[in-house]
């Protein structure tokens, strides 16, 4: 019980202390203007259109010696938009009154009617009180232009672009060509390619055919000995290279004969033919027409004599009788 009495006494003392502190703090008083400020709202025109600007003028009459107007930071435009605010003051020395006019420019945003609600304007008194004055709300009807227009034609049907047949035809052809190319590529990929083995002619056949072609050119008869000997020796060199597997085209006569000797290969008449061709090609030696024609025959003989002979069996030759079979031993 004693503890409860002490708690109640402390609570009472705290309440008295808080009441004393609150009583000593000065309060800001907000009063509504009744006789201190006279307000009047000058409304907009009868009707407007969307986006058309209009003005509302707020008139305030007060004593400047006892009240000082406070400019509001923001006005409530309602269904409109505030575009500009301009303040003007007119002093009447006879009555010692000041008329303050707030000219506000709005733009309506509603399609039916625009409403600018009542706005508050504060004044500061000499004793620190705030005097608040309220304006009237303004309703501005909106006029629709299309509702009263008589010369407006109905909307035309939306324009549609004609079908470009050339464009779509080109696209279709391109798609078909791509599909055909794909099908062809797939078939080619799947196709089994059977390669035909190339026919390789023996070197002697190639050389003899080339010598026949050179002889038919009849270059010595036209005096073109250098070209004649060059063609003949090139045929012989290619033949020797293919026959004996020795490099012959880029070697001199001495180097070629030395390479053949190291391989123990002897070709009769080859060195004499190559030396005679070197005299014609490099020493400007002019042979006779007969000797130039003989050079083709000597090259032909070199090819024929160095061609290996392959023996083929004679189908008419009698075959050897088979060996007699040994009698098998009898088992008793």
């Amino acid at each position: 019980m004693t503890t409860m009495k002490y708690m109640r006494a402390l609570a009472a003392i705290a309440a008295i202390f808080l009441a004393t502190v609150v009583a000593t703090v000065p309060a800001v008083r907000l009063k509504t203007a009744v006789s201190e400020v006279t307000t009047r709202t000058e409304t907009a025109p009868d009707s407007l259109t969307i986006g058309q600007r209009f003005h509302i003028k707020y008139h305030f009459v007060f004593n400047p010696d006892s009240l000082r107007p406070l400019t509001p930071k923001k006005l409530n435009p309602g269904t409109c938009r505030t575009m500009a605010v301009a303040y003007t003051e007119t002093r009447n020395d006879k009555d010692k009154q000041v008329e303050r006019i707030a000219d506000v420019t709005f733009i309506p945003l509603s399609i039916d009617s625009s409403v600018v609600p009542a706005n508050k304007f504060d004044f500061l008194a000499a004793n620190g009180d705030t005097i608040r004055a309220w304006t009237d709300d303004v309703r501005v009807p909106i006029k629709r232009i299309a509702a009263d227009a008589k010369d407006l034609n109905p909307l035309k049907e939306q324009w549609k672009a004609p079908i470009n047949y050339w464009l779509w035809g080109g696209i279709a052809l391109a798609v078909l060509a791509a599909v055909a190319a794909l099908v062809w590529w797939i078939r080619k990929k799947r196709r089994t390619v059977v390669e035909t083995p190339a026919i390789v002619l023996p070197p002697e056949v190639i050389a003899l055919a080339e010598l026949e072609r050179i002889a038919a050119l009849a270059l010595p008869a036209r005096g073109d000995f250098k070209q004649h000997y060059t063609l003949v020796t090139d045929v012989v060199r290619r033949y020797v290279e293919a026959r004996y597997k020795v490099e012959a085209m880029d070697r001199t006569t001495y180097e070629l004969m030395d390479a053949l000797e190291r391989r123990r290969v002897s070709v009769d008449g080859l060195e004499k033919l190559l030396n005679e061709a070197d005299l014609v090609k490099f020493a400007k030696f002019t042979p006779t027409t007969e000797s130039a024609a003989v050079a083709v025959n000597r090259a032909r003989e070199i090819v024929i004599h160095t061609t290996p002979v392959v023996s083929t069996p004679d189908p008419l030759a009698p075959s050897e009788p088979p060996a007699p079979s040994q009698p098998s031993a009898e088992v008793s």
Side-chain angles (χ1 to χ4, degrees):
M1 294 296 293
T2 306
T3 305
M4 293 296 295
K5 290 181 179 180
Y6 284 130
M7 293 295 293
R8 291 176 181 177
L10 290 176
I13 294 172
I16 295 172
F17 177 75
L18 290 175
T20 306
V21 171
V22 172
T24 57
V25 176
V28 178
R29 292 177 294 174
L30 180 63
K31 296 182 179 181
T32 302
V34 179
S35 60
E36 292 87 352
V37 181
T38 304
T39 62
R40 181 171 60 90
T41 302
E42 187 178 345
T43 60
D46 295 338
S47 60
L48 299 170
T49 58
I50 294 294
Q52 182 180 356
R53 298 190 180 192
F54 66 95
H55 296 265
I56 297 179
K57 293 183 179 182
Y58 301 111
H59 298 260
F60 305 95
V61 180
F62 58 93
N63 188 350
D65 296 334
S66 59
L67 296 177
R68 182 169 62 88
L70 300 177
T71 303
K73 295 181 179 180
K74 185 178 181 182
L75 297 176
N76 185 7
T79 57
C80 299
R81 178 180 295 174
T82 305
M83 302 302 297
V85 181
Y87 293 93
T88 58
E89 289 185 356
T90 305
R91 182 178 294 272
N92 189 349
D93 295 333
K94 182 179 180 180
D95 298 335
K96 295 183 180 181
Q97 297 289 321
V98 171
E99 183 181 9
R100 181 180 175 86
I101 302 175
D103 188 357
V104 186
T105 305
F106 295 98
I107 288 182
L109 301 179
S110 177
I111 61 174
D112 294 327
S113 62
S114 293
V115 178
V116 179
N119 281 280
K120 58 183 180 180
F121 288 83
D122 294 336
F123 294 82
L124 183 62
N127 59 357
D129 294 340
T130 301
I131 306 300
R132 178 164 294 175
W134 289 89
T135 64
D136 299 329
D137 57 348
V138 178
R139 183 177 298 273
V140 180
I142 302 300
K143 179 179 63 176
R144 297 185 182 182
I145 300 177
D148 300 332
K150 298 181 180 179
D151 55 347
L152 293 178
N153 296 325
L155 294 176
K156 295 182 179 179
E157 185 180 358
Q158 186 178 4
W159 179 81
K160 297 180 180 179
I163 300 176
N164 192 340
Y165 294 99
W166 290 102
L167 175 61
W168 289 106
I171 294 175
L173 289 177
V175 172
L176 291 176
V179 172
L182 181 61
V183 172
W184 174 82
W185 181 79
I186 294 175
R187 290 184 177 180
K188 183 180 179 181
K189 198 78 173 179
R190 295 179 178 178
R191 188 185 305 161
T192 303
V193 180
V194 180
E195 296 184 356
T196 304
I199 300 176
V200 180
L201 297 176
E204 64 273 11
V205 175
I206 298 175
L208 294 176
E210 285 293 318
L211 291 174
E212 291 295 332
R213 185 181 67 83
I214 295 170
L217 294 176
L219 294 176
R222 294 183 291 178
D224 197 353
F225 297 102
K226 183 177 180 180
Q227 181 69 14
H228 176 74
Y229 275 92
T230 300
L231 293 176
V232 173
T233 54
D234 286 348
V235 171
V236 175
R237 284 176 178 270
R238 283 195 293 269
Y239 169 76
V240 171
E241 187 174 278
R243 176 64 65 192
Y244 301 108
K245 309 302 179 185
V246 60
E247 185 179 353
M249 297 303 297
D250 296 330
R251 286 181 172 177
T252 63
T253 301
Y254 175 78
E255 293 173 345
L256 176 59
M257 299 307 299
D258 183 66
L260 291 175
E261 185 177 354
R262 287 197 302 270
R263 289 177 175 266
R264 296 180 181 180
V265 176
S266 177
V267 181
D268 295 337
L270 176 61
E271 185 175 5
K272 182 178 180 181
L273 177 63
L274 295 178
N275 288 331
E276 181 179 347
D278 291 341
L279 291 176
V280 175
K281 292 189 294 182
F282 305 112
K284 297 182 180 180
F285 172 73
T286 303
T288 61
T289 306
E290 290 77 9
S291 61
V294 172
V296 178
N297 295 330
R298 283 188 290 174
R300 189 181 291 111
E301 292 176 358
I302 291 173
V303 174
I304 293 174
H305 291 161
T306 55
T307 300
V309 178
V310 180
S311 59
T312 56
D314 188 2
L316 300 179
S319 59
E320 296 182 357
S325 59
Q326 297 294 333
S328 59
E330 296 182 356
V331 179
S332 58

